[in-house]
Amino acid sequence: NEDIKRNLREYYNTYVEQRDNAEKQNWKIIERAQFLHYLQKNQCMTLLELGAGTGKDSLFFKNNGFTVTAIDLSENHIKKCQKKGLNAFCLDIYCIDEKFQESQFDSIYSLNMLLHIPKKDLHDTFVKIKRVLKKEGLFYIGVYGGKNVEKEFIQDDGIHKRFFSFYEFNDYLEIVQKHFNVEYSNIIHKKTEFEYHSFILRKMATIQRQ
């Protein structure tokens, strides 16, 4: 896992400016707006973004009245977040239950971050996420998928490697249903070999056997 984290950190530290200047795709804007609707309907006030990148989505939620906390593995990403006035921390997702209090957040948002978690760690990661999410809190997951594969991909520069863990939609759905109630799910078909899978989940009101 340390090699995976180091490679991810190096990649995202290198391409921070390109990612910050990139225009957000319309389908991502629509997905984000869908989650905003759920947050407002449920009167959520606090939000934790996992893998916040340069803070574009965290800033969006902050500008819509939420108290936002952003975390990311990349130091350069966090510097960008902080320059935008965000409450941001360079933090490994594996440590969120140590950094934050139990039931601290009304909602959690994660766009294309959990696909970097090895399959063997996904269950434990969801357990940690649930711990910092309030009872009946909302959790947005967006991940690329469409096939079952887990490997490192060499990027276009031929230097950096990022680890990815992809699932077919029903396989991922089966996993999240062990931890959360599914409020919304969607498949967006891309002009690539991958699809985009999204879920709006609610923390179960009662303790479920794992």
Side-chain angles (χ1 to χ4, degrees):
N1 279 10
E2 292 308 314
D3 287 342
I4 290 173
K5 295 174 191 177
R6 183 180 64 253
N7 289 338
L8 289 169
R9 188 181 296 111
E10 289 176 356
Y11 175 85
Y12 289 115
N13 277 339
T14 300
Y15 294 103
V16 61
E17 294 299 335
Q18 293 93 321
R19 298 178 69 82
D20 194 42
N21 293 327
E23 185 176 351
K24 197 168 189 68
Q25 295 143 301
N26 189 57
W27 60 269
K28 290 182 180 178
I29 294 173
I30 294 171
E31 282 285 307
R32 186 178 65 186
Q34 176 80 326
F35 190 48
L36 175 63
H37 170 73
Y38 272 79
L39 295 177
Q40 293 172 334
K41 182 179 177 181
N42 286 271
Q43 299 181 318
C44 295
M45 297 298 296
T46 56
L47 181 142
L48 170 66
E49 182 173 10
L50 307 174
T54 62
K56 294 179 181 180
D57 289 334
S58 282
L59 186 61
F60 167 82
F61 289 115
K62 181 181 178 182
N63 289 341
N64 276 278
F66 297 90
T67 300
V68 175
T69 302
I71 68 167
D72 199 279
L73 193 61
S74 161
E75 299 91 343
N76 290 349
H77 277 175
I78 292 305
K79 289 176 183 177
K80 284 287 185 184
C81 289
Q82 292 172 343
K83 285 181 179 178
K84 293 172 182 173
L86 293 166
N87 182 36
F89 302 93
C90 188
L91 186 69
D92 184 338
I93 189 175
Y94 290 85
C95 300
I96 61 170
D97 58 336
E98 301 169 14
K99 173 70 174 178
F100 303 115
Q101 297 177 4
E102 186 174 353
S103 303
Q104 183 169 340
F105 300 100
D106 297 332
S107 61
I108 297 177
Y109 180 83
S110 175
L111 177 68
N112 285 332
M113 191 285 296
L114 290 172
L115 45 69
H116 294 311
I117 301 295
K119 295 190 177 189
K120 66 180 180 63
D121 294 340
L122 189 60
H123 167 80
D124 288 341
T125 301
F126 283 149
V127 171
K128 291 175 182 288
I129 289 170
K130 285 190 296 185
R131 186 179 182 277
V132 302
L133 185 62
K134 288 183 179 178
K135 178 181 177 181
E136 298 189 4
L138 295 176
F139 177 28
Y140 177 90
I141 300 176
V143 287
Y144 288 113
K147 59 181 181 179
N148 284 313
V149 61
E150 184 178 43
K151 63 182 293 187
E152 283 187 329
F153 288 87
I154 298 175
Q155 297 307 303
D156 293 339
D157 61 9
I159 301 171
H160 299 92
K161 294 181 178 180
R162 283 186 294 170
F163 177 90
F164 289 95
S165 183
F166 300 112
Y167 294 79
E168 292 184 6
F169 179 83
N170 286 334
D171 292 338
Y172 205 88
L173 178 62
E174 183 178 347
I175 295 170
V176 298
Q177 285 177 324
K178 295 178 180 178
H179 296 272
F180 302 94
N181 293 324
V182 179
E183 300 272 316
Y184 162 94
S185 64
N186 191 25
I187 302 174
I188 298 175
H189 296 283
K190 310 298 296 174
K191 294 180 180 178
T192 67
E193 59 181 319
F194 295 105
E195 305 165 344
Y196 179 80
H197 302 159
S198 64
F199 307 87
I200 295 176
L201 310 169
R202 189 181 296 277
K203 182 176 177 179
M204 294 174 178
T206 56
I207 297 174
Q208 302 288 317
R209 292 183 179 180
Q210 304 297 335

